[in-house]
Amino acid sequence: MTPGLKPLIQISVLLALLVSPAVCQIRQSPSLDCHILEISPTNRSATITCSATHLPTGKTRLQFVDQFAGVDQLSDRVHALKISTSTNVPLPLELRGNGLVFFTANSGSATIRYEMRLARAFDPAQHALVSSIGPDAAVLMMADLLPRICSEAESCETPNPTTLKLSAPNDWQIATTERQRSGVYELADNSKAVFFLARFRERTANVGNMNLRIAVAGQWNFRDEDIFPLAEAIAREQAAMIASREQGEFLVLLTPFPQPLTGLRSSAVTLGRTVVLLLNPNNDSIQTLKHFRRHLAHEMFHFYLPNAFRIRENFDWFWEGFTRYVALMTLARLNLLTLDEYLDAINGEYEAYLFNPQRGQLSLIQASPDKFSSPASYDLVYRKGMLVAALYDLELRWQSRSKRTLADAIKALYANAEREIGNREVLGELGKLGDFSRLIRDDIEGTREIDLAERVKPYGLKIEQSPATRNRARLMAASKLNERQKALLSSLARF
Ligand SMILES: [Zn+2]
């Protein structure tokens, strides 16, 4: 998943500075030189010191993130916060709760020191969303480890210019997309900077102008040779699908959860150009590998959607729901999925949709902005979102006689990625490739009930529940198919 990212720079403020340089005294914004040290895999904690300079005259506001992508009370992990002058004289702090602190440093600089305790247990699905330190690896995200500082009157929306030093535990390596000069990282945007510390195996691949680095920690019940070529193949396929223009460093991490879990589970996030994927296998290595493939293909498409776009508003129904479907398309194009598996995945989303109590009340567009407010909204965005992506793709293949797919709509959006996009642009692009006014009105903007069997009948598909399907409802190809239907279904996946 990718959490709803809001543009952090206030464009209006920036414009005001640009149009009136003569009257605006541009003050240097506060900057941070931080050092993460004493990273303890046993205590699952780290000590952080930052020297802050160019502090405002008067009160300084210091803000630790407290909430991220539906995870609350993150600032509770900050312990023993001390702020002192550069000559080590403690400064009085006003602690306002939820990670908000005020202090006054008359010299314009201060030293901030605190301990981050990261042992708190989360819902397994949430583990990848926040920094963690486990026995085998640490995933350090600057967005939740470092504070933001600004003047009292501001709200610290803009990341501070930050440099970072890391003292990794003995014989742990470091992987990141951040630039390093003589052991010091210069963070372009600390809301996206991620550092992976572990004893990992790695491989690099050039995909067009993208330098992809894949780092794997932990022992798995499948081979490393099932991981490295897979990540590279997904990167190539998706770059081709979208006509990628991306360049520079990209990183994919696979690592165990920081604490023991039972059952097959994964949790992942894509921050900027880093995919963090935590996996907990079960005893079935084939099932584990299939699960991993689906999740990896989903996460890696977030390099593009939404991370390569300028986002105006939340349209998670598209960037999550449609990305879920693109993962399926990617694996099918790589011959890693049969048509049966493809159709089973679509039917799985349909069954989840039928169980969703909000399906008649909330449209995809309405459910998106507050997907974290209720499990039903969240589920609708992902599951109905993917179902509608499948219906769109099938209909587009049908109308175009298999000459076009959903990938063409996303490619067209990406071709214009320099403009800001929101629902209007996405719906405009989806509507351009054929006659989709009903699908957009009923399935995306509206709440009209979807009858899958009825919708897929023209394409030569049916839902069958019989002893032959072990009495489970399955989406499958009809026994008699005309040429156009055959062409459509064989364009989807291995028949
Ligand atoms: Zn996602």
Side-chain angles (χ1 to χ4, degrees), residues 462-483:
K462 62 176 180 178
I463 294 182
E464 188 173 297
Q465 186 163 10
S466 67
T469 65
R470 295 195 191 134
N471 291 318
R472 279 200 49 231
R474 287 193 65 187
L475 180 62
M476 54 206 297
S479 37
K480 279 193 184 149
L481 296 171
N482 62 34
E483 286 308 312

Side-chain angles (χ1 to χ4, degrees), residues 171-412:
D171 74 6
W172 282 21
Q173 307 138 263
I174 300 176
T176 182
T177 61
E178 299 300 317
R179 252 209 339 230
Q180 190 208 143
R181 215 180 283 166
S182 358
V184 178
Y185 295 93
E186 290 165 9
L187 310 188
D189 173 352
N190 57 18
S191 65
K192 292 183 184 151
V194 182
F195 293 85
F196 181 51
L197 284 67
R199 283 181 293 266
F200 53 75
R201 291 91 69 196
E202 66 175 319
R203 191 143 329 155
T204 53
N206 294 320
V207 177
N209 292 322
M210 299 162 78
N211 305 321
L212 179 69
R213 184 175 181 190
I214 307 143
V216 177
Q219 297 306 319
W220 304 101
N221 54 6
F222 42 85
R223 303 164 310 150
D224 280 0
E225 282 311 305
D226 291 319
I227 305 170
F228 294 122
L230 173 72
E232 184 181 340
I234 290 171
R236 278 191 205 293
E237 193 59 45
Q238 293 181 337
M241 262 162 110
I242 202 163
S244 170
R245 301 182 303 272
E246 301 304 308
Q247 44 186 311
E249 305 306 310
F250 288 76
L251 175 63
V252 171
L253 313 175
L254 170 64
T255 181
F257 278 77
Q259 45 193 233
L261 295 175
T262 52
L264 179 56
R265 287 185 175 276
S266 55
S267 171
V269 72
T270 307
L271 283 180
R273 294 167 158 206
T274 304
V275 165
V276 177
L277 199 153
L278 311 183
L279 181 68
N280 193 64
N282 66 9
N283 293 333
D284 183 339
S285 60
I286 293 172
Q287 196 187 21
T288 303
L289 183 58
K290 283 185 175 174
H291 178 97
F292 167 63
R293 281 176 182 158
R294 276 283 293 279
H295 207 159
L296 184 67
H298 172 125
E299 264 339 290
M300 287 180 71
F301 198 67
H302 283 320
F303 282 150
Y304 302 103
L305 186 68
N307 293 5
F309 287 89
R310 292 173 53 218
I311 302 302
R312 185 181 62 240
E313 62 186 338
N314 181 306
F315 49 95
D316 274 21
W317 62 272
F318 185 70
W319 84 51
E320 290 302 348
F322 278 54
T323 292
R324 231 167 127 79
Y325 184 73
V326 169
L328 212 61
M329 286 176 76
T330 307
L331 297 181
R333 287 162 74 130
L334 291 172
N335 253 330
L336 294 171
L337 210 63
T338 63
L339 183 64
D340 282 347
E341 289 170 317
Y342 200 93
L343 297 176
D344 282 346
I346 296 171
N347 196 44
E349 306 300 63
Y350 179 58
E351 288 177 347
Y353 160 78
L354 287 181
F355 275 110
N356 195 308
Q358 297 279 24
R359 72 183 186 286
Q361 279 92 52
L362 281 182
S363 71
L364 283 177
I365 290 184
Q366 289 166 326
S368 289
D370 51 8
K371 68 170 178 180
F372 295 121
S373 67
S374 82
S377 296
Y378 188 87
D379 205 59
L380 206 64
V381 164
Y382 280 80
R383 315 291 299 256
K384 185 189 174 189
M386 172 163 151
L387 174 65
V388 172
L391 291 173
Y392 177 87
D393 186 46
L394 286 163
E395 181 59 22
L396 178 55
R397 288 174 199 251
W398 181 251
Q399 288 183 23
S400 69
R401 295 185 177 264
S402 304
K403 289 194 177 61
R404 286 182 161 174
T405 74
L406 170 64
D408 293 294
I410 301 178
K411 185 157 84 176

Side-chain angles (χ1 to χ4, degrees), residues 453-468:
E454 205 48 46
R455 292 285 289 273
V456 298
K457 212 191 269 175
Y459 317 133
L461 294 170
K462 62 176 180 178
I463 294 182
E464 188 173 297
Q465 186 163 10
S466 67

